[in-house]
Amino acid sequence: MADHLIRSLTKFAPFRPAELELIERLQEKAESFGARTDVILEGDQPTKMFIVEEGLMMRYRILSDGRRQILTFLIPGDMCDVNIFFAHAMDHSISAVGPSRIRRVARDDILRLCLGNPRFAGAFWWSSLQREAMLRERVVALGRRNARARLAYLFCEFYWRYEAIDQVLDHTLVLPLTQAELGDTLGMTAIHVNRVLSDMRDDGLLQRSRARIELTDFEGLKALAEIDREYLHYSAPPPEVAAYFRESAA
Amino acid sequence: MADHLIRSLTKFAPFRPAELELIERLQEKAESFGARTDVILEGDQPTKMFIVEEGLMMRYRILSDGRRQILTFLIPGDMCDVNIFFAHAMDHSISAVGPSRIRRVARDDILRLCLGNPRFAGAFWWSSLQREAMLRERVVALGRRNARARLAYLFCEFYWRYEAIDQVLDHTLVLPLTQAELGDTLGMTAIHVNRVLSDMRDDGLLQRSRARIELTDFEGLKALAEIDREYLHYSAPPPEVAAYFRESAA
DNA sequence: CGGGAGGTTGAGCATGTTCAAAGGATGTGG
DNA sequence: CCACATCCTTTGAACATGCTCAACCTCCCG
């Protein structure tokens, strides 16, 4: 099994063997979490970050009346952001959606790594761009799109994200989300999610089971969602920028 | 007039005179933009970032049917993120809302600055945390709050942001936004904004004119919005983290 | 003083919610 | 391996929040 953190970072810049070994060593032993268990709670001041090795996790906030807003999802290879170390307290919680495995990295190790070798800082910067861009898309979707387009948008996002880690086969991906979770992500009730999904199925856009979704008409979904893959900023940074991080400063 | 970029950065860590002079020199001459003029367009690949000196700017996206979603606002002292340099193309546009003044900084200068002195990188990281946190609040508001609470939330955010730059007097702030702009920010029509605002005025929550808003019942608004100032992450990073950036590596 | 942008108001409508109930699926303990 | 409990999905009917369209007002600025 490839090291996910390394795979993630090397998409930004090629690291040298010594650097890779360094990262590998920083990561703690893998930890498993059952579905619906929390990894970090709102209010915590984290002293470790982590990277998802397996499974599906989510960031969420619980409101005073008990309702939940899911902010974003973390899939294998994603890291809980380095930024949280600059916060006094988490403004949201992170939990496993399905059974998941993570590996933690201590705050001090990460900070030392970035300070000692700016190429790591650059890699984290890039991941920060991607996270922020996903949140912007969410805002656009919630602010200006109807239920059907919101669902289409979310599925497109998942499609591209899973595609980037080679977990799409035949427009089908493993996505163990309940309709309630989809609703809490997109600002809708589970009931309405159900109705709209069933319309979309009838229109031949998708096929869904509890843990699996097939995007039978991906082009149709994309058109509905009015979203472009480039919005996710998956392509590596422009060469002139990457150049700054190429010659190691370590 | 204090240098806004410096003011902004020094909130993260105290910089030494030589470092401050360095920043000061990097900034280009101030440029002024009239209301509703664009600074960066979706699709551009920016080679400069900028800092807002005066006025009010916004990030926004135009949808295919002409509707607009305003993503976030930039107030004096805010910088257009460093992250954009890692993107191939802007996924949104930035324009002036009212007459505004900015100062640009070349990409290469900023990158060299950060690579040469990680304390700068740290300052930009912190600002990235804040931007991301604001987007998360927006998602919560759009996903799970009704019109009244959304407006309350936005006004609280503006209150705290303007307070942080000493531009609040007597719960009153200068906020030259039209109701259409409020609507495009919060996923509502201008007409509904109008109705809800007038209810809120009748309930004694606020007083508003074209360019000014007075939060007559700030506690009431805060309770409505269910938002906490800490969510914005304005307090400086924890001491153990700041320590890493204290001894200059330049 | 005229024009235009922004604000206000009303009536009808649409999208999505609430509440209630029943039908599947999944998993666990006996 | 069945029985049962739990969680998830599906469906219906009434309702609410916010939208659309259309008109008019008002303030500001030239």
Side-chain angles (χ1 to χ4, degrees):
Chain A
M1 183 80 230
D3 181 300
H4 276 99
L5 180 50
I6 288 177
R7 228 172 99 180
S8 206
L9 293 175
T10 46
K11 277 190 184 163
F12 170 74
F15 286 92
R16 292 177 313 185
E19 292 169 333
L20 296 178
E21 204 191 320
L22 192 60
I23 305 172
E24 170 61 32
R25 239 195 333 246
L26 293 187
Q27 294 178 75
E28 303 184 356
K29 273 209 305 284
E31 284 170 73
S32 292
F33 287 84
R36 253 130 285 219
T37 50
D38 288 302
V39 176
I40 303 183
L41 285 176
E42 181 179 341
D44 286 359
Q45 181 175 332
T47 54
K48 294 184 178 176
M49 64 164 279
F50 65 85
I51 178 136
V52 180
E53 285 217 336
E54 193 73 45
L56 180 62
M57 316 194 73
M58 63 176 175
R59 301 170 185 267
Y60 68 97
R61 170 89 60 79
I62 299 292
L63 307 192
S64 65
D65 58 0
R67 290 184 310 164
R68 174 177 65 172
Q69 175 65 45
I70 295 176
L71 294 160
T72 53
F73 293 97
L74 300 169
I75 70 171
D78 286 343
M79 37 194 161
C80 156
D81 54 303
V82 185
N83 292 347
I84 58 170
F85 297 142
F86 292 77
H88 280 273
M90 288 291 290
D91 57 41
H92 61 279
S93 306
I94 304 182
S95 81
V97 176
S100 306
R101 202 172 65 240
I102 67 173
R103 291 184 73 185
R104 301 196 200 248
V105 187
R107 178 186 69 192
D108 294 351
D109 287 337
I110 285 281
L111 288 178
R112 261 196 296 269
L113 192 70
C114 292
L115 288 174
N117 185 341
R119 299 166 71 204
F120 288 110
F124 288 117
W125 246 334
W126 187 35
S127 98
S128 175
L129 164 71
Q130 293 169 358
R131 269 198 321 278
E132 223 178 300
M134 277 199 291
L135 279 171
R136 279 194 292 264
E137 289 312 312
R138 184 70 54 89
V139 169
V140 172
L142 292 179
R144 285 282 172 246
R145 300 203 224 276
N146 63 16
R148 174 180 275 236
R150 286 185 200 181
L151 283 162
Y153 136 78
L154 188 61
F155 295 142
C156 287
E157 184 191 295
F158 272 121
Y159 178 88
W160 285 315
R161 292 175 73 184
Y162 277 111
E163 186 190 44
I165 56 171
D166 296 317
Q167 296 198 7
V168 173
L169 188 64
D170 238 3
H171 287 92
T172 301
L173 33 132
V174 174
L175 194 65
L177 290 175
T178 66
Q179 296 180 352
E181 284 156 351
L182 290 172
D184 285 348
T185 306
L186 299 174
M188 310 159 52
T189 59
I191 295 174
H192 198 226
V193 168
N194 181 280
R195 290 194 235 264
V196 176
L197 275 181
S198 109
D199 289 349
M200 291 172 83
R201 183 173 355 96
D202 295 347
D203 293 345
L205 288 165
L206 49 82
Q207 286 284 319
R208 216 184 79 95
S209 76
R210 177 79 180 68
R212 218 202 81 254
I213 183 166
E214 180 185 352
L215 309 180
T216 40
D217 180 6
F218 184 64
E219 289 305 314
L221 288 169
K222 219 173 75 178
L224 245 175
E226 263 189 58
I227 192 177
D228 193 288
R229 188 178 183 280
E230 288 307 308
Y231 285 164
L232 298 180
H233 299 290
Y234 273 0
S235 357
E240 315 90 68
V241 173
Y244 278 95
F245 299 90
R246 195 146 290 143
E247 66 274 6
S248 176
Chain B
M1 183 81 227
D3 182 300
H4 276 98
L5 181 50
I6 288 178
R7 230 172 98 179
S8 206
L9 292 175
T10 46
K11 277 190 187 167
F12 171 73
F15 287 93
R16 291 177 313 186
E19 292 170 333
L20 296 178
E21 204 191 322
L22 192 61
I23 306 172
E24 168 61 32
R25 236 190 340 242
L26 293 187
Q27 294 179 74
E28 302 184 355
K29 272 208 306 284
E31 283 171 72
S32 293
F33 287 83
R36 253 131 284 218
T37 50
D38 288 302
V39 176
I40 304 182
L41 284 176
E42 180 178 341
D44 287 358
Q45 181 174 331
T47 54
K48 295 185 178 178
M49 63 164 281
F50 66 83
I51 178 135
V52 180
E53 286 217 333
E54 193 71 46
L56 180 63
M57 316 194 74
M58 62 178 178
R59 300 170 185 269
Y60 68 95
R61 170 90 57 80
I62 299 292
L63 307 192
S64 66
D65 59 1
R67 288 186 310 164
R68 173 179 65 173
Q69 175 65 45
I70 295 176
L71 295 160
T72 52
F73 293 96
L74 301 169
I75 70 171
D78 286 343
M79 36 196 162
C80 156
D81 54 303
V82 184
N83 291 347
I84 58 172
F85 297 141
F86 293 76
H88 279 273
M90 288 290 290
D91 57 41
H92 62 279
S93 306
I94 304 182
S95 81
V97 177
S100 305
R101 203 172 64 239
I102 67 173
R103 291 184 73 185
R104 302 195 199 250
V105 188
R107 178 186 71 195
D108 294 350
D109 288 336
I110 284 283
L111 289 177
R112 261 195 297 269
L113 192 69
C114 292
L115 288 175
N117 184 343
R119 300 166 71 206
F120 289 109
F124 288 117
W125 245 334
W126 187 36
S127 99
S128 177
L129 163 72
Q130 293 169 358
R131 267 197 321 277
E132 224 178 300
M134 278 199 291
L135 279 171
R136 280 193 292 265
E137 289 311 312
R138 185 68 56 89
V139 168
V140 172
L142 292 179
R144 284 285 172 245
R145 299 201 224 278
N146 62 17
R148 175 180 275 238
R150 285 185 200 180
L151 283 163
Y153 136 78
L154 188 62
F155 294 142
C156 286
E157 183 190 296
F158 271 122
Y159 178 88
W160 285 315
R161 292 176 72 186
Y162 277 112
E163 185 190 45
I165 56 169
D166 295 318
Q167 296 198 7
V168 174
L169 188 64
D170 238 3
H171 287 92
T172 301
L173 32 131
V174 173
L175 194 66
L177 290 175
T178 65
Q179 296 181 348
E181 283 156 352
L182 290 172
D184 285 348
T185 306
L186 298 173
M188 310 159 53
T189 59
I191 295 174
H192 199 226
V193 168
N194 180 282
R195 289 195 236 264
V196 176
L197 275 181
S198 107
D199 288 350
M200 292 173 83
R201 185 175 351 100
D202 295 347
D203 293 345
L205 287 166
L206 51 81
Q207 286 285 320
R208 215 184 80 94
S209 75
R210 179 77 181 67
R212 221 201 77 252
I213 184 167
E214 180 184 353
L215 310 181
T216 41
D217 180 6
F218 184 63
E219 289 306 314
L221 288 168
K222 221 174 76 178
L224 245 175
E226 262 189 58
I227 192 177
D228 194 287
R229 187 178 184 281
E230 287 308 307
Y231 286 163
L232 297 180
H233 299 291
Y234 272 1
S235 0
E240 315 90 71
V241 174
Y244 278 96
F245 298 89
R246 196 147 290 144
E247 65 275 8
S248 175

